[in-house]
Amino acid sequence: MPPAKTHWLGGFRHGRVPDMAVTDIASRTYNHGWRLDPIVRSLLDTDFYKLLMLQMIREFYPDQRVTFSVINRSQHVRLAEIIDEGELRAQLDHARTIRFTKKELIWLAGNTFYGKTQMFSPDFINWLANFRLPEYELNKVDGQYELHFHGPWTHTTMWEIPALAILNELRSRQAMKGQGRFALDVLYARAKAKLWSKVERLRKLRRPAAVRFRHPPPPRFSVAALVRRGRQGRPRPVLHRHLERAAGDGQRSRSDRHQRA
């Protein structure tokens, strides 16, 4: 008889903590003495659905050119006055140097997701081997940064997660500057205590809860509205159909239901 599968939360529920590397986050934050501490270190550090969408976009719209933009809507948070432009450009430039490694592509090609093997086609995996994030356009507008990414939809779409991560992390790092080692230690100790209180709540559950971390289920809604198309900025109906087919859940999007109502 093969051993029964155990849930990752089982160790917590029985009072045992799984073995894991412990990082002294406060010391790491305090000792920022290196020239560049990369925020984006792998192109796989993204939402899983982005890869699923990318495969669909490449299949149906390989030549569609779009512009993806990041604009801070919280006007009271003046990012251009908080984040150094040189540091921002350095992080964006570094992200453009990253490629999918051979090990990462092997992992994508050979892994099982949602009980399905070979979710990514061999042709798509080979295409990823030469993938690179496209160039960016960075502007300062009234105390804010505006980031624009022009090019094929197959490439601009992959800037979404890295761009947001870079902006958020640089803002956090700026907030940490000037704090002493002890103050940082207290700050992160409180954060870990808050996290552990949530783990203890999970331990009290009769059955392990379905906790979402990195790989969300396939999208059940159309994200085509993120890309401006046509005179009214709306996606063409055929795009909705392709997105719904790619989601694979057999459900129509809300917009589609309203149109047919």
Side-chain angles (χ1 to χ4, degrees), residues 73 126 143 177 181 214 238:
R73 291 179 295 179
N126 291 334
K177 286 184 177 180
R181 171 66 179 79
R214 173 57 64 184
V238 66

Side-chain angles (χ1 to χ4, degrees), residues 77-190:
V77 181
R78 301 176 69 82
L79 292 178
E81 298 175 2
I82 300 173
I83 300 173
D84 179 76
E85 182 177 350
E87 293 182 9
L88 176 55
R89 289 187 181 276
Q91 293 290 346
L92 294 170
D93 290 340
H94 173 77
R96 295 196 65 235
T97 67
I98 301 175
R99 303 289 188 276
F100 284 100
T101 67
K102 185 174 293 186
K103 290 183 179 180
E104 289 173 336
L105 294 177
I106 292 174
W107 181 84
L108 272 180
N111 222 324
T112 299
F113 304 99
Y114 312 117
K116 181 177 179 180
T117 59
Q118 294 184 337
M119 183 172 286
F120 300 102
S121 68
D123 180 61
F124 178 67
I125 295 295
N126 291 334
W127 180 80
L128 286 179
N130 297 315
F131 180 86
R132 180 184 182 185
L133 291 172
E135 295 182 357
Y136 61 88
E137 176 189 341
L138 177 63
N139 300 313
K140 283 185 178 181
V141 180
D142 191 23
Q144 300 291 347
Y145 283 122
E146 289 190 1
L147 266 171
H148 305 285
F149 308 98
H150 312 282
W153 192 8
T154 51
H155 289 67
T156 56
T157 185
M158 289 295 284
W159 258 120
E160 179 183 358
I161 305 303
L164 294 175
I166 289 172
L167 285 169
N168 279 292
E169 177 64 17
L170 286 179
R171 185 195 176 198
S172 296
R173 290 183 182 181
Q174 188 63 34
M176 300 296 178
K177 286 184 177 180
Q179 297 197 38
R181 171 66 179 79
F182 182 75
L184 290 171
D185 193 32
V186 172
L187 175 67
Y188 284 108
R190 288 174 176 172

